Amino acid sequence: MVDAAVVGGMGPVMAFALVGIFGVGAQWLAWRLRLPGIVLMLIAGIIVGPVTGLIDPDRDFGALTGPLISLAVAVILFEGGLSLDLHRLKDAKTGVRRLVLIGAPLGWLLSTLVLAWGAGLSWQSASVFGGIMIVTGPTVIAPLLRQARLDRRPAQLLQWEAIVNDPIGALAAVLAFQVILVARSGLTLNEAILDLTVGIGFALVLGLLAGFGVARAFWRAMVPEYMKVPVLFVVLLAVFALADTVLHESGLLAVTVMGLVIGNADLPSYQELRRFKEHATILLVSGVFILLAASLDFRQMAALDWRAVVFVLAVVLVARPLTVLVALTGTDLPRAERLLVAFTGPRGVVLVAVAGLFGQRLAEMGVADGALIGPLAFVLVLVTVVVHGFTLAPFARALGLAGAEVPGVLIVGGSRFSIGLAEALVKAGVPVLVTDPNHAHLIRARAMGLPTYYGDILGEAAEDSVELLNFTTILAVSDNDAYNTLVATDLGSELGRDAVWQVARPREDRPRHALPTQLGGRPFGEGRTLDAFQTMLDEGWTFRVTRLTPEFTQEDWRAKRPNAVALARISEKGEIRFVKSTDEMKAGPKARIISLLPASASQTEPEAGPSIDGAA
């Protein structure tokens, strides 16, 4: 342990900086290692908190710790409401609606019973914590889905359940807490009901009015574009504070409702608001996790006995499966999909943040076992994230519900070149999907048996029909350069700009026609335009898939094919990456190279030559 006197002089500014460094740093490291970020953030918080004593929230922030966490949780819940698109929810499958309308209240009840009978908590603490346990958390589900690559329907069920139940679980905890708060205030039953009704009603009305007011102001251009995010943030804080003054903690309900209204107002500036809430949520989630983990008291963790093990096992093996199976009874979902959803329920950000907040509040009110809610939440999150993180993919494969293990490529545009490239990718074992808003452009692709999607990949219909989780690479190669730029720019923010590629535009090397680096995707095919590729095909160039071996390396391939144009390399694990230039390509042994060969090149290889899969 580090001597507290050594770091006791550290001021709040340095403490804030360390919280940010360790929180964001843990998320970045998780991204690099492809691990759940929540686990590394919890570990980082425990190391800098109770293990080393470097950060002590009570010492470094004092009375500000509670309000800071409360405000951060408010923004996180506002983000949850903002993400809930009711229009898409109406079009969702019956299973999603049942998981919300039946699964949420049933999960609240079963979780409360498990906490009371399994963990030994009082009914007061169990009812509050049981409401929070409705939450599964989209910030945890999304990375797991990307890694497991589930079939579309079970992935959609898990994703939408997480998005919808995120604010609902927090709302259930708020309502349960308000009931306990008013009941312990010494008021009569009528006075308690009146105070509770007035407080909740005020929070609901305030959230609705604030949401409609902000949406109306944005629609009528009453707020300039550069001030929309600051105005939204200030209104959010004001709504939370005002509702909280009427009824303690009802501000969480108000901001969730406010986010729900704004998220469904169909605002033209929604992308800017979405970026705000994403960036704010990442920063706040990092800070909240570090603060909560640093506040963890090992003495409280030591107070957990065998009941904590019973609690976790009951949640994972009884409460969650029973909730889902009952909710989905009577639907046309196959048994395998119901089992997969039933045994997949990782908890995440909101659970730990809200549980720590309400646990502290209950303890301050005199509910003795309220202090156990935080440690129990940590244990549940760690166990569920680790267990589901390592078992979801093999479990899905065992049930026959896993998507393609090889990362897929989404090709936008149905030209002759893109269809030839798609055929070569399929021959190399890479899943592809060819999309085009022009039906005629997809006729040849369909005739060749390639998967296609007719429509605008950026449209709302594509959000329900195309599962982007199955694709790690996008190539915009349509005959409309402006559309290619739009697709690459829009989807780049979701998949990462290093995964989005675009065919060159005519004369883009000239300053007058060049676009800023923020627009478009990565350059594809050594800067050739689509017309240039089409001309090459007219001249007899053909696609080729070449498998490298330890005996036939990339250097050997280049020496044998000096005029070939390398387009992509596929690693031994099936990971594909397009290349900007043949000279920059690095392909290891057992990799495959997709290239264009000139008409003069031989279409067959001698027996002793490299393994050629064939020409498209």
Side-chain angles (χ1 to χ4, degrees):
M1 296 288 290
V2 176
D3 187 356
V6 177
V7 293
M10 182 174 59
V13 174
M14 179 59 70
F16 269 121
L18 289 178
V19 168
I21 290 172
F22 285 108
V24 176
Q27 292 216 48
W28 176 83
L29 184 60
W31 169 74
R32 291 288 297 179
L33 299 178
R34 296 184 180 181
L35 295 174
I38 185 174
V39 174
L40 293 188
M41 284 189 289
L42 290 176
I43 294 174
I46 292 174
I47 292 175
V48 300
V51 173
T52 64
L54 184 61
I55 295 177
D56 184 345
D58 291 334
R59 180 195 67 207
D60 299 328
F61 303 113
L64 290 177
T65 303
L68 286 173
I69 294 178
S70 297
L71 289 174
V73 172
V75 177
I76 293 171
L77 294 186
F78 170 77
E79 186 269 342
L82 197 66
S83 301
L84 183 56
D85 189 342
L86 294 180
H87 174 70
R88 291 187 61 191
L89 181 61
K90 292 179 181 178
D91 298 331
K93 298 179 187 286
T94 303
V96 178
R97 294 194 293 268
R98 280 174 166 262
L99 287 175
V100 175
L101 300 178
I102 299 177
L106 181 59
W108 187 2
L109 173 62
L110 293 178
S111 297
T112 301
L113 295 177
V114 167
L115 287 164
W117 295 340
L121 294 185
S122 65
W123 288 105
Q124 293 173 321
S125 296
S127 61
V128 174
F129 193 16
I132 305 170
M133 286 173 58
I134 295 174
V135 172
T136 54
T139 56
V140 179
I141 285 290
L144 292 182
L145 293 180
R146 280 195 293 268
Q147 294 175 6
R149 302 191 177 279
L150 303 185
D151 286 349
R152 176 173 179 79
R153 185 159 57 184
Q156 186 182 46
L157 287 171
L158 290 169
Q159 190 172 23
W160 272 103
E161 180 200 16
I163 293 175
V164 177
N165 281 349
D166 197 60
I168 291 178
L171 172 59
V174 169
L175 294 177
F177 180 79
Q178 299 304 332
V179 172
I180 297 171
L181 182 65
V182 175
R184 297 176 66 92
S185 63
L187 301 175
T188 65
L189 179 61
N190 291 336
E191 291 174 335
I193 294 176
L194 178 61
D195 285 356
L196 186 62
T197 303
V198 170
I200 294 177
F202 179 76
L204 287 171
V205 172
L206 181 62
L208 289 171
L209 291 178
F212 283 119
V214 170
R216 188 178 183 87
F218 286 3
W219 265 113
R220 294 194 167 193
M222 298 173 64
V223 179
E225 199 68 29
Y226 71 94
M227 287 193 65
K228 286 184 177 179
V229 169
V231 167
L232 180 64
F233 188 69
V234 169
V235 172
L236 165 65
L237 297 180
V239 167
F240 173 75
L242 186 58
D244 232 31
T245 58
V246 176
L247 187 64
H248 202 46
E249 303 301 341
S250 64
L252 298 177
L253 171 60
V255 297
T256 302
V257 173
M258 174 183 165
L260 181 65
V261 173
I262 296 176
N264 288 273
D266 197 22
L267 296 175
S269 55
Y270 180 74
Q271 291 299 325
E272 288 77 9
L273 302 183
R274 189 187 70 170
R275 291 191 185 96
F276 153 71
K277 58 98 173 175
E278 287 178 348
H279 298 163
T281 299
I282 290 175
L283 291 172
L284 293 174
V285 164
S286 303
V288 167
F289 267 83
I290 296 297
L291 288 175
L292 290 176
S295 301
L296 189 63
D297 191 342
F298 281 161
R299 290 172 297 181
Q300 293 179 348
M301 294 293 292
L304 299 178
D305 52 16
W306 58 270
R307 286 182 173 272
V309 178
V310 174
F311 157 69
V312 173
L313 292 177
V315 170
V316 175
L317 302 178
V318 180
R320 169 66 181 179
L322 187 59
T323 297
V324 173
L325 293 177
V326 171
L328 297 180
T329 298
T331 64
D332 58 354
L333 293 173
R335 178 172 173 270
E337 294 187 8
R338 281 182 278 177
L339 287 175
L340 180 65
V341 176
F343 285 95
T344 305
R347 268 61 176 189
V349 172
V350 173
L351 177 72
V352 173
V354 179
L357 178 64
F358 282 117
Q360 181 182 3
R361 299 284 189 237
L362 288 172
E364 293 172 353
M365 291 169 51
V367 180
D369 56 5
L372 295 177
I373 291 180
L376 285 173
F378 275 105
V379 172
L380 181 62
V381 167
L382 282 172
V383 172
T384 56
V385 169
V386 172
V387 169
H388 295 305
F390 286 102
T391 62
L392 180 57
F395 186 39
R397 286 195 294 269
L399 294 174
L401 298 175
E405 294 187 30
V406 179
V409 177
L410 180 66
I411 299 178
V412 181
S415 65
R416 180 186 173 193
F417 169 78
S418 60
I419 293 173
L421 176 61
E423 187 183 15
L425 288 170
V426 171
K427 184 175 297 185
V430 178
V432 299
L433 178 67
V434 182
T435 75
D436 201 300
N438 189 327
H439 186 273
H441 291 175
L442 297 175
I443 294 177
R444 186 166 180 263
R446 288 173 174 168
M448 298 174 65
L450 296 173
T452 62
Y453 172 74
Y454 164 55
D456 194 331
I457 192 62
L458 301 180
E460 291 186 2
E463 295 182 3
D464 298 325
S465 303
V466 178
E467 186 53 72
L468 289 179
L469 289 174
N470 291 330
F471 304 98
T472 58
T473 306
I474 293 180
L475 173 62
V477 65
S478 74
D479 57 3
N480 187 326
D481 293 313
Y483 182 65
N484 290 338
T485 302
L486 178 62
V487 168
T489 303
D490 187 79
L491 296 182
S493 60
E494 294 188 27
L495 298 181
R497 299 201 177 275
D498 61 330
V500 180
W501 300 75
Q502 178 183 355
V503 71
R505 299 177 303 109
R507 298 180 296 180
E508 69 175 6
D509 56 336
R510 303 180 186 180
R512 184 181 295 272
H513 301 281
L515 294 176
T517 55
Q518 295 85 356
L519 299 179
R522 304 189 68 184
F524 167 80
E526 299 185 349
R528 291 178 175 82
T529 65
L530 177 60
D531 288 340
F533 280 120
Q534 302 279 54
T535 300
M536 293 170 67
L537 295 180
D538 292 338
E539 294 173 351
W541 288 63
T542 56
F543 290 95
R544 194 78 167 180
V545 181
T546 306
R547 187 184 302 275
L548 302 179
T549 66
E551 295 76 22
F552 188 84
T553 64
Q554 177 183 333
E555 290 72 21
D556 297 326
W557 171 81
R558 171 45 64 197
K560 189 173 184 63
R561 300 296 194 192
N563 297 323
V565 176
L567 301 176
R569 63 171 172 80
I570 305 171
S571 69
E572 183 180 358
K573 296 181 179 180
E575 298 176 348
I576 183 170
R577 188 164 188 85
F578 292 119
V579 295
K580 293 187 295 183
S581 171
T582 301
D583 298 333
E584 298 178 0
M585 184 181 66
K586 295 181 180 180
K590 299 183 181 180
R592 282 157 291 173
I593 298 176
I594 296 180
S595 60
L596 274 174
L597 299 183
S600 58
S602 172
Q603 298 302 305
T604 60
E605 297 293 333
E607 292 293 334
S611 173
I612 301 294
D613 296 330

